[in-house]
Amino acid sequence: MIEQAEEAAKEYGIKAEFILADVESLNFPNNYFDTIVSSGTLCGYENPVHVLKLFNQWCKEEGQILLMEHGLFSVPALAWIQKKLDYFAVKAIGCHQNRDILDIVKQSNLIINKHERALFGYLNLGNSTKI
């Protein structure tokens, strides 16, 4: 993905620095980014609330945090299956599929401006701003 992003940046004349690292190990100044985008990553962090709090620190006051994350289905039977299979998903691909994304965002104290769910509640789309 980084190679494709580098090619696209070059094609469009965008100066960008691409970093391949664990987000929990990064250290950016406060109020550094206009926009932070997270897509399908909250399942993999040991402490996703902490990561969202980092995003909150790093995002400018007038900035935004855009999330497109998968989590528990809103259909109880499907959510039950996810919870039962979570151990195997973590071992196989490092994905905690049993996470309640909306609850995680609320715990991080981000201000939720917009939240939508799709695919039986499995996909969470949101726009948040700093507290």
Side-chain angles (χ1 to χ4, degrees):
M1 288 178 66
I2 286 181
E3 288 175 8
Q4 291 176 340
E6 288 172 334
E7 287 176 26
K10 185 177 178 181
E11 180 181 337
Y12 291 102
I14 298 171
K15 288 187 178 185
E17 178 182 354
F18 296 91
I19 301 168
L20 179 60
D22 179 5
V23 73
E24 294 164 303
S25 70
L26 296 173
N27 186 20
F28 294 107
N30 291 349
N31 302 310
Y32 188 72
F33 296 105
D34 295 318
T35 301
I36 296 174
V37 178
S38 176
S39 179
T41 62
L42 293 181
C43 67
Y45 301 128
E46 188 170 323
N47 186 345
V49 173
H50 172 70
V51 170
L52 291 177
K53 287 181 178 183
L54 288 174
F55 290 174
N56 189 44
Q57 256 181 265
W58 298 336
C59 195
K60 292 180 180 177
E61 292 295 327
E62 64 281 358
Q64 61 182 345
I65 300 166
L66 305 174
L67 304 171
M68 185 173 75
E69 302 290 342
H70 67 87
L72 278 174
F73 281 105
S74 57
V75 177
L78 295 175
W80 181 85
I81 292 169
Q82 283 179 291
K83 291 174 184 177
K84 293 297 179 189
L85 295 177
D86 186 66
Y87 172 83
F88 301 105
V90 172
K91 290 292 182 189
I93 58 174
C95 171
H96 287 278
Q97 60 183 7
N98 67 344
R99 292 188 170 167
D100 181 336
I101 300 302
L102 186 57
D103 183 57
I104 289 169
V105 174
K106 287 179 180 176
Q107 287 180 49
S108 74
N109 294 323
L110 289 173
I111 297 169
I112 301 170
N113 296 322
K114 184 176 182 180
H115 176 253
E116 296 178 38
R117 294 183 86 170
L119 302 173
F120 302 105
Y122 177 72
L123 190 60
N124 292 265
L125 310 161
N127 178 325
S128 299
T129 52
K130 294 183 67 143
I131 54 173

